[in-house]
Amino acid sequence: MRVEARPSDLVGGTPLIDLSSLVPNHNATLLGKMESLEPCSSVKDRLGKSMIDQAEKDGLLIPGKSVLVEATSGNTGIALAFIARERGYRCILTMPETMSVERRMMLLALGGEVVLTPKETMVHGALAKANEILQESGEKGPETWRDTDGTIDIFVAGVGTGGTVTGVSQYIKGCTEFDCPPLMPELYTVAVEPQEQMLITEARGGTKIGPQGPHRIQGIGAGLVPEVLDIDLLDEVVAVHSSKAEEMTLKLWMMGLPTGVSSGAIVEAAVQVCSRPENKDKIAVCIIPSFGERYFTHPMFAQTKTKAEALTKQPLPEPFDNTEFGFATSRG
């Protein structure tokens, strides 16, 4: 039997699902990596486990004494909180006030301490608060290669911390720094960012599209180009507008895949890339980073929320004898 000893041992090993029906004329094969099926429903579970495992290995953490402090937009903090709870660490998370109530509730329910920062300062403010508190006080690459039998041509991922798109590309394209031999140097790596905040595009010398400012794609586009992101590994950056990300997210829900809005942005970008004539019959893998239930207070679900709240109870049929249905007594 395969029986794991603790929740964090369940991290990794997520399946692929065929999303090729979204690609017009099935021009290419599009596969979604279901990171929404991680123990705490997010790709960041891998990051949280990796960080804590390494810190424990290096002797930097002492259960019952050490305190973890993290600036987060939500999912990384949730990953750290769940593993901190499992292993006996205090966990303090700073995050912008604009993040969903569901994320706050997850953090609190897992024993984390949440410190909100002003929305105007975005993630920069959360980082500053985390530093103030400090002063006061993954394996997706091998799995993706294995599960596609080494036939992957295109890899598409959003950029939050930058770890996913960088790590997978390093593993498949090759990276001498981490002793990764080149498995497929020609892998086409696509990073996804909000159209309203095209900082990675700008960093690569590209041109921004339309007005720049706040966006509605929680989980990517944190208002900075993360240090972890290796821009040289990127073959392309696709910018997706919040409205397009929301449309694709709802389409995924209608397919029976409850995902977050960042998943919608990534799949939208992947569909665009897969639809190109030069990519006919190629195989693309895109990351589905998180589960959708964490986003019910997002504006795209406002209509659904209103509809749910407007539901009224309906009258029952005329009295009948419940004993006909196997109950011990008739209906009173």
Side-chain angles (χ1 to χ4, degrees):
M1 293 190 299
R2 181 184 174 184
V3 180
E4 305 296 355
R6 54 188 183 175
S8 63
D9 294 334
L10 299 172
V11 172
T14 55
L16 293 171
I17 187 168
D18 194 339
L19 299 176
S20 303
S21 62
L22 294 170
V23 181
N25 300 319
H26 203 147
N27 190 66
T29 298
L30 175 58
L31 306 175
K33 181 73 167 160
M34 294 297 293
E35 293 300 295
S36 56
L37 297 181
E38 295 285 3
C40 274
S41 306
S42 154
V43 64
K44 298 303 173 63
D45 286 3
R46 294 177 184 262
L47 174 61
K49 182 177 186 297
S50 176
M51 291 168 64
I52 293 179
D53 282 350
Q54 188 62 51
E56 289 179 337
K57 181 180 178 181
D58 295 341
L60 300 176
L61 294 176
I62 303 173
K65 293 185 179 181
S66 297
V67 180
L68 308 180
V69 181
E70 171 75 2
T72 180
S73 62
N75 284 327
T76 299
I78 289 169
L80 289 172
F82 113 77
I83 299 174
R85 167 62 67 175
E86 171 192 275
R87 303 188 189 181
Y89 302 115
R90 182 184 174 197
C91 188
I92 304 173
L93 297 313
T94 64
M95 62 191 300
E97 62 179 324
T98 51
M99 295 301 106
S100 68
V101 173
E102 290 91 341
R103 295 183 184 212
R104 301 183 201 176
M105 292 177 67
M106 281 288 292
L107 291 170
L108 293 171
L110 288 167
E113 301 170 40
V114 180
V115 179
L116 296 181
T117 55
K119 60 184 178 181
E120 293 79 12
T121 58
M122 301 173 62
V123 172
H124 296 285
L127 285 167
K129 191 64 180 177
N131 286 326
E132 179 184 74
I133 291 171
L134 284 172
Q135 292 300 317
E136 292 177 352
S137 49
E139 292 293 316
K140 283 188 299 300
E143 285 182 24
T144 301
W145 182 256
R146 179 198 68 205
D147 292 346
T148 60
D149 288 331
T151 59
I152 179 175
D153 300 298
I154 303 166
F155 179 68
V156 186
V159 178
T161 62
T164 295
V165 69
T166 298
V168 172
S169 297
Q170 287 174 335
Y171 181 81
I172 296 178
K173 289 187 173 186
C175 177
T176 56
E177 181 182 356
F178 297 105
D179 296 321
C180 295
L183 300 173
M184 184 178 286
E186 63 273 24
L187 175 74
Y188 193 79
T189 297
V190 180
V192 183
E193 68 177 345
Q195 184 178 307
E196 301 97 315
Q197 199 172 103
M198 297 174 64
L199 299 181
I200 302 172
T201 296
E202 182 182 49
R204 297 179 75 244
T207 303
K208 296 180 179 180
I209 304 171
Q212 299 293 293
H215 62 87
R216 301 187 299 276
I217 310 177
Q218 294 185 11
I220 66 174
L224 49 81
V225 178
E227 292 184 11
V228 173
L229 179 66
D230 187 344
I231 291 180
D232 293 335
L233 287 171
L234 305 182
D235 297 291
E236 182 180 356
V237 179
V238 174
V240 176
H241 195 276
S242 295
S243 58
K244 284 291 186 182
E246 291 165 354
E247 288 176 15
M248 181 57 77
T249 303
L250 294 175
K251 188 178 291 186
L252 291 171
W253 275 77
M254 292 300 100
M255 292 174 62
L257 288 176
T259 68
V261 67
S262 59
S263 301
I266 294 164
V267 173
E268 171 64 27
V271 168
Q272 290 180 25
V273 173
C274 286
S275 299
R276 298 170 186 166
E278 65 268 26
N279 291 328
K280 184 172 177 55
D281 298 329
K282 290 186 177 180
I283 295 177
V285 173
C286 66
I287 295 296
I288 308 293
S290 58
F291 190 61
E293 195 173 11
R294 201 162 291 166
Y295 298 82
F296 278 154
T297 53
H298 188 281
M300 71 177 176
F301 286 110
Q303 188 175 1
T304 303
K305 182 173 182 288
T306 300
K307 184 177 180 179
E309 292 173 340
L311 292 173
T312 58
K313 61 183 180 182
Q314 299 298 307
L316 294 175
E318 292 299 317
F320 53 82
D321 188 351
N322 269 336
T323 58
E324 296 179 12
F325 301 97
F327 291 90
T329 59
S330 61
R331 175 180 166 188

